[in-house]
Amino acid sequence: MDSASKNVEQVVWWVMQRGAYSYQGLSGQAIRRMVVPSIRWKQAIYELLVCMLCFLMGRAVIFDEVAPFGVALFASVIPRKKNAAVYLVTVILGLLSRGVHAFVLKYTLTACLLFVYSQIPFVRRKEWSVLHAALAASFALMLVNITYAYLQGMLFYDLILAGLESIIGLVMVYVFSPVMDLLINIRSRRVLANHEAIGIAVFLALLTVGFWEIRLFGLAFRNVFAIVLVLLFAYIGGAGMGAAIGCLVGLFLSMATQPAVELIGVFTVCGMMAGAFKDLGRAGSSLAFILSNAFMTFYINRSTVTILPFKEIAVSSCILLLVSRRAIEYMRQIWDAGLSRIREGNRYTSKLKELTISRLEEFSQVFHNLAQAFSQISQSDVIRGREGINRMLDVVASEVCTGCTFYRNCWQRNFYATYNNMFDLISIAETKGNIRKEDLSEDFCKACLRVDEVIRAMNEVYEAYRFNYRWQQKIDECRSLVAQQLEGVSKVVTRLAQELDIDIRFKKDLEEAILLELDKKGIRVKNVTVTEKADGRMEVNIAKKSCGGRRECMRVIEKVIGEVLRKPMSCKSDEGRICSQQECILKFVEAQRYKVMTGIARKAREYADVCGDNYSSIPIGEGKYLLILSDGMGSGSRADAESSIVVSLLENFLEAGFDLNMTIQTINSVLILRSRDEIFATADLCVIDLVTGNADFIKIGAVSTFIKKKDGVKVIKAPALPMGILEDIQAESVKEALEDGDMIVMVTDGVLDSVDAQINPEEWMVDVISKLDSCNPQELADHIMNEALKQADGIARDDMTVMVSRIWKPYFSLNCNIKCNTFLKESMI
């Protein structure tokens, strides 16, 4: 019983160690529940695939009696798999599926001999190398073949055949080993070596030999599999790979059946032609295979009966079309023999880029931490205020109440009543600014013997407290501004790191097309690089021999690049063109399809020295254009100073690449800190994308903006407070698509306020803009100003500014778009 109980305890302990979990039962004892391990479906499918490959390779027979391929594959599986018996069975089943023949028994015994050798304890503990597995397979094949020949009657032919099979087994182990390594690490592999690519090609070609000789609806499964294999790899790797796979498939199929040299030629030529036309897609590659098969049949047999039936090619083409694009891209990447060399060349560049991005991210984190340190000034303003009030009461009590004879009675026996009375004094000081005896209650005057001294001390302490509190607020605001600036710098550095880390794609086909077209024009180019950025915009860099001032970059190259890329391109005239006596380095970017022309009309307030409104109309890089109109508070030089600060800071921050929201918050903080008085300024912004024509309108306390289109006038409005009032403001953006000829009308409130109170100012402005039929922005601006002054009887009661910007397409842009659209239509036809 003791031994039995010990065994039970051991079993229970083993079960608990196998991954069961416990819970408390009703009796409070720990109870374990068994967890059944789940089936690893991916691993099971993978094992099934390896078994299937062993089965097909066991069926691979050439010359009707030579089949060492299954044995070689089993020898390469043994050192990589623990359950070798399973794969032994699949290889034997593959051999037996050919029928019960003498050579089947021979290779079955060879595989069993390899398995027995692998199970020897000394051999099992030792790690097998590829050479070890190859020698074991070669020796087993030699031993079994000689034994078999000896039993049948030794002939010289049998010795030659035994030596040949032994060599084939040795070589095939080396061929199959990379294939097995690839299958084991299929998820992590991205590049193949040359010997691995050759091994896979031979392995797949031999699989066609081992495929079933079954016909269904007149279709031979083996032929369909072989054609699909050739079509797939021709489409992936091009003409060279298609010809190589076709040659191997045709060679092994010819050796597996009746000798047919024409089969080798047909598969080779068809694979080469299918790969040559892979740029036409899978359908074009399949069509090239069909036509090549017809041509080779007519050339070899002079008949209409094709060597490869058309219906088998058609079914194979349909199977090729069903293969997912993702799988094809993966195979194309892993089979690209030049990819390793390209990565080796770009490895140092990528590493340098990674180090740069890492350092920028570290700098960004430093600035972000500094911003957090400055922003965490106080956890709670309420706590700080309560501490200040307690200190005020302590000071008053120590100066006035400590020497009073009723101190114990007030601050010990009647503490709460005294505290409330003193707190009421603080409330009176906050409300009226100064405490007088008339403001106190009768109860307080009767209870306190030193009322006048308490009032005097409380006024002095409160005045000092208010003065310190005001300066503390200023310090807090300065710290908040510094925190915003540091956070802005952090965001700029982060954005710079993101720009360095963008996915830039090189367009090799476009580079070759540009080289060809420039060569036709007689322009010799050393290097062409075409890149597509993350936002889809194209950039072309060209290095060529100096043209000697003939301006080929503007006359010829720009036009050629635009026609090849099918979009207008322009050469950057500043940093994008570096020319010397020997060489020119040119940079072409997508041309700005739109231009901006602006007209301004201003009128200062009556009797004011200057106009308090300011404006700006400048490009800010990356194909963007900025329109700003700002109205300072009041009029005169002070309003001019405030609006000038807003405009200049917006220009500088946005040109430097700062975020728009962060820029607005920073300018708002600057306006708050500039003076104790309440000062503010409006900001009316419009950021136009000159490539796409899209515009973003941002309004901060500004009046409506009007867009004059071909079919009417559109009003853009977004309510928001001006800058300089609240510590935190939210700017909302309104997006609008602009077209050629659209006119943007931005005005200050002085223009709309000039209209009579009984008239809707926005409707009046729409009517004024609609009545003038002119494409000149300056003429429209003057017309609006004159109409506004008429409404005000010629007197400007406030600063008035009208800024009109017209969006237009240059003639070359329109011409290029027409040519590109015509080219696209002709290509589609």
Side-chain angles (χ1 to χ4, degrees):
M1 291 297 293
D2 294 338
S3 60
S5 61
K6 289 183 180 180
N7 293 333
V8 171
E9 290 178 358
Q10 291 177 357
V11 171
V12 172
W13 179 86
W14 180 83
V15 170
M16 293 170 64
Q17 296 298 321
R18 297 296 296 176
Y21 64 89
S22 64
Y23 64 94
Q24 294 294 328
L26 296 177
S27 61
Q29 296 180 353
I31 300 176
R32 291 265 176 175
R33 181 179 175 182
M34 285 292 296
V35 176
V36 180
S38 59
I39 300 175
R40 299 181 180 178
W41 291 107
K42 293 184 178 180
Q43 184 67 22
I45 294 174
Y46 168 74
E47 297 292 342
L48 183 62
L49 175 62
V50 176
C51 291
M52 191 66 184
L53 295 177
C54 291
F55 178 81
L56 292 177
M57 199 58 68
R59 287 179 47 85
V61 179
I62 59 175
F63 304 132
D64 294 331
E65 59 177 352
V66 178
F69 309 107
V71 175
L73 182 60
F74 176 65
S76 61
V77 168
I78 289 175
R80 294 172 174 83
K81 294 293 182 180
K82 295 181 179 180
N83 49 347
V86 177
Y87 306 103
L88 172 66
V89 173
T90 55
V91 171
I92 294 175
L93 290 177
L95 289 167
L96 294 176
S97 65
R98 282 287 187 175
V100 181
H101 302 287
F103 75 91
V104 172
L105 179 61
K106 179 177 63 174
Y107 295 113
T108 301
L109 292 175
T110 305
C112 293
L113 182 61
L114 271 177
F115 177 74
V116 172
Y117 172 74
S118 66
Q119 298 302 311
I120 298 175
F122 173 76
V123 178
R124 191 173 184 178
R125 288 193 299 266
K126 188 177 181 181
E127 184 178 355
W128 283 33
S129 62
V130 179
L131 178 60
H132 185 179
L135 292 176
S138 177
F139 180 78
L141 285 169
M142 177 67 74
L143 181 62
V144 173
N145 272 287
I146 292 177
T147 304
Y148 178 77
Y150 177 78
L151 296 176
Q152 296 292 329
M154 185 70 68
L155 295 175
F156 185 70
Y157 171 78
D158 296 330
L159 295 177
I160 295 176
L161 185 60
L164 178 62
E165 289 191 5
S166 178
I167 295 173
I168 292 176
L170 179 76
V171 174
M172 286 298 107
V173 171
Y174 274 96
V175 171
F176 294 155
S177 291
V179 179
M180 295 306 302
D181 291 335
L182 179 63
L183 287 175
I184 294 173
N185 303 314
I186 188 70
R187 297 179 182 177
S188 60
R189 293 296 299 274
R190 290 296 181 271
V191 178
L192 292 180
N194 291 331
H195 71 279
E196 291 177 324
I198 295 173
I200 292 174
V202 174
F203 180 80
L204 293 175
L206 281 172
L207 281 183
T208 60
V209 179
F211 218 77
W212 289 274
E213 299 176 5
I214 302 174
R215 288 184 174 271
L216 183 63
F217 302 111
L219 300 174
F221 280 11
R222 175 187 286 177
N223 291 344
V224 171
F225 179 77
I227 296 172
V228 168
L229 185 65
V230 175
L231 277 174
L232 179 62
F233 284 94
Y235 179 68
I236 291 173
M241 184 181 293
I245 294 291
C247 179
L248 288 173
V249 169
L251 176 63
F252 286 121
L253 286 179
S254 177
M255 289 191 295
T257 58
Q258 296 295 327
V261 180
E262 64 276 7
L263 199 63
I264 304 174
V266 169
F267 269 108
T268 303
V269 174
C270 291
M272 179 184 66
M273 297 304 294
F277 288 91
K278 71 182 181 66
D279 293 336
L280 298 179
R282 284 179 261 191
S285 184
S286 302
L287 181 60
F289 192 99
I290 293 173
L291 295 178
S292 301
N293 178 48
F295 173 77
M296 290 297 295
T297 300
F298 180 77
Y299 174 75
I300 295 173
N301 296 336
R302 295 292 194 273
S303 67
T304 58
V305 180
T306 57
I307 298 176
L308 298 176
F310 282 124
K311 56 183 178 181
E312 294 179 353
I313 302 177
V315 172
S316 303
S317 302
C318 294
I319 296 174
L320 177 66
L321 293 174
L322 294 177
V323 179
S324 66
R325 185 181 299 273
R326 183 178 178 182
I328 288 179
E329 289 299 326
Y330 173 76
M331 287 186 285
R332 180 171 291 168
Q333 179 185 4
I334 202 171
W335 274 80
D336 188 1
L339 185 60
S340 58
R341 291 190 294 271
I342 294 174
R343 287 188 174 182
E344 182 67 22
N346 295 333
R347 184 165 60 90
Y348 295 105
T349 303
S350 300
K351 187 63 178 177
L352 179 61
K353 176 178 155 184
E354 292 175 2
L355 291 175
T356 304
I357 294 172
S358 177
R359 293 294 294 167
L360 288 175
E361 290 177 349
E362 291 176 1
F363 287 139
S364 174
Q365 188 63 33
V366 169
F367 285 112
H368 176 72
N369 293 336
L370 286 174
Q372 293 294 323
F374 274 95
S375 63
Q376 294 174 355
I377 301 168
S378 177
Q379 297 295 328
S380 176
D381 292 335
V382 177
I383 297 176
R384 185 177 59 187
R386 185 179 301 169
E387 292 176 353
I389 292 173
N390 292 332
R391 285 196 297 268
M392 289 172 58
L393 297 178
D394 291 340
V395 171
V396 174
S398 62
E399 290 183 359
V400 180
C401 301
T402 303
C404 181
T405 57
F406 288 93
Y407 176 79
R408 291 179 177 272
N409 183 64
C410 295
W411 288 103
Q412 293 182 4
R413 296 178 183 177
N414 299 319
F415 173 79
Y416 292 104
T418 306
Y419 185 85
N420 290 332
N421 290 331
M422 299 295 287
F423 196 83
D424 291 339
L425 293 180
I426 297 175
S427 299
I428 295 172
E430 290 181 348
T431 305
K432 298 184 177 182
N434 192 19
I435 305 173
R436 296 179 300 176
K437 193 172 183 179
E438 293 79 9
D439 299 328
L440 303 181
S441 63
E442 295 181 0
D443 296 336
F444 183 79
C445 293
K446 293 179 180 180
C448 184
L449 298 178
R450 299 183 178 183
V451 176
D452 296 333
E453 296 180 14
V454 169
I455 294 174
R456 177 187 55 78
M458 183 63 73
N459 285 331
E460 292 176 356
V461 171
Y462 181 76
E463 184 64 26
Y465 171 78
R466 186 171 58 180
F467 180 80
N468 293 333
Y469 185 74
R470 186 182 298 116
W471 278 108
Q472 185 64 39
Q473 280 187 319
K474 288 293 182 182
I475 295 173
D476 292 350
E477 291 172 356
C478 292
R479 289 176 178 173
S480 178
L481 177 61
V482 172
Q484 292 180 10
Q485 297 291 331
L486 292 173
E487 187 67 29
V489 173
S490 173
K491 291 181 179 179
V492 170
V493 176
T494 301
R495 190 179 301 111
L496 177 59
Q498 291 174 352
E499 290 177 358
L500 292 176
D501 197 27
I502 59 176
D503 182 19
I504 298 178
R505 294 176 289 274
F506 294 90
K507 299 294 184 179
K508 186 177 180 180
D509 53 343
L510 295 178
E511 293 174 358
E512 295 176 354
I514 293 174
L515 277 173
L516 180 61
E517 292 299 324
L518 292 177
D519 188 70
K520 291 179 181 179
K521 299 291 184 180
I523 299 176
R524 301 295 180 263
V525 176
K526 296 181 179 180
N527 185 26
V528 176
T529 304
V530 180
T531 56
E532 182 181 5
K533 297 183 179 180
D535 57 358
R537 296 188 181 183
M538 307 294 291
E539 181 179 304
V540 182
N541 292 273
I542 293 179
K544 60 178 289 293
K545 187 178 180 181
S546 178
C547 60
R550 296 193 301 271
R551 296 184 63 81
E552 290 180 343
C553 57
M554 301 297 293
R555 293 188 303 103
V556 182
I557 301 179
E558 187 175 275
K559 181 179 178 182
V560 169
I561 294 176
E563 292 176 352
V564 172
L565 299 184
R566 303 175 185 177
K567 57 181 64 178
M569 304 291 290
S570 64
C571 180
K572 300 190 72 173
S573 58
D574 43 10
E575 72 273 9
R577 183 169 58 213
I578 304 174
C579 294
S580 61
Q581 295 181 354
Q582 293 81 20
E583 187 180 40
C584 285
I585 300 176
L586 310 175
K587 179 180 180 180
F588 295 86
V589 296
E590 290 192 30
Q592 298 177 359
R593 295 179 173 86
Y594 298 91
K595 299 290 183 180
V596 179
M597 183 169 53
T598 303
I600 294 291
R602 305 177 71 194
K603 180 70 174 178
R605 182 180 178 178
E606 193 76 12
Y607 306 117
D609 51 351
V610 293
C611 181
D613 302 335
N614 274 280
Y615 65 92
S616 179
S617 175
I618 60 169
I620 56 175
E622 294 295 331
K624 301 292 182 66
Y625 201 90
L626 177 64
L627 303 175
I628 308 174
L629 183 59
S630 178
D631 181 7
M633 184 190 70
S635 60
S637 58
R638 179 176 178 179
D640 175 67
E642 302 302 331
S643 60
S644 176
I645 289 173
V646 172
V647 172
S648 61
L649 288 178
L650 282 171
E651 288 179 352
N652 296 334
F653 274 72
L654 294 180
E655 282 181 334
F658 279 69
D659 181 70
L660 180 60
N661 290 328
M662 191 277 303
T663 300
I664 293 172
Q665 294 291 343
T666 302
I667 298 174
N668 180 67
S669 301
V670 170
L671 292 179
I672 292 176
L673 295 175
R674 270 178 60 85
S675 174
R676 295 183 181 181
D677 300 330
E678 292 183 354
I679 57 174
F680 60 86
T682 65
D684 198 353
L685 289 85
C686 177
V687 181
I688 306 171
D689 191 332
L690 299 179
V691 177
T692 62
N694 297 325
D696 292 329
F697 294 88
I698 300 97
K699 293 187 169 295
I700 307 172
V703 297
S704 301
T705 297
F706 306 87
I707 303 177
K708 183 180 181 182
K709 294 180 172 288
K710 297 178 182 179
D711 54 353
V713 179
K714 188 170 184 178
V715 182
I716 304 294
K717 58 175 68 177
L721 291 175
M723 291 188 289
I725 298 179
L726 300 178
E727 293 185 1
D728 188 14
I729 58 175
Q730 299 295 331
E732 296 183 1
S733 175
V734 179
K735 295 185 179 295
E736 183 68 26
L738 303 178
E739 299 177 354
D740 181 31
D742 288 353
M743 303 181 74
I744 301 173
V745 180
M746 304 170 68
V747 299
T748 57
D749 56 355
V751 177
L752 296 181
D753 292 343
S754 64
V755 182
D756 190 83
Q758 299 178 355
I759 302 176
N760 188 310
E762 293 181 355
E763 295 179 358
W764 171 82
M765 179 63 73
V766 171
D767 184 64
V768 170
I769 295 173
S770 302
K771 286 183 178 179
L772 183 64
D773 187 13
S774 174
C775 296
N776 189 338
Q778 186 61 52
E779 185 177 350
L780 180 58
D782 294 335
H783 173 70
I784 294 173
M785 180 63 70
N786 293 333
E787 292 295 325
L789 290 175
K790 287 180 183 179
Q791 291 288 327
D793 299 329
I795 299 175
R797 298 182 179 87
D798 193 3
D799 296 326
M800 304 169 65
T801 302
V802 180
M803 183 167 68
V804 181
S805 299
R806 181 173 180 266
I807 311 301
W808 58 284
K809 279 187 177 181
Y811 172 75
F812 76 89
S813 179
L814 293 171
N815 191 24
C816 186
N817 286 338
I818 294 173
K819 289 183 178 180
C820 290
N821 293 332
T822 305
F823 180 78
L824 287 173
K825 292 179 180 178
E826 292 177 354
S827 300
M828 293 174 65
I829 295 174

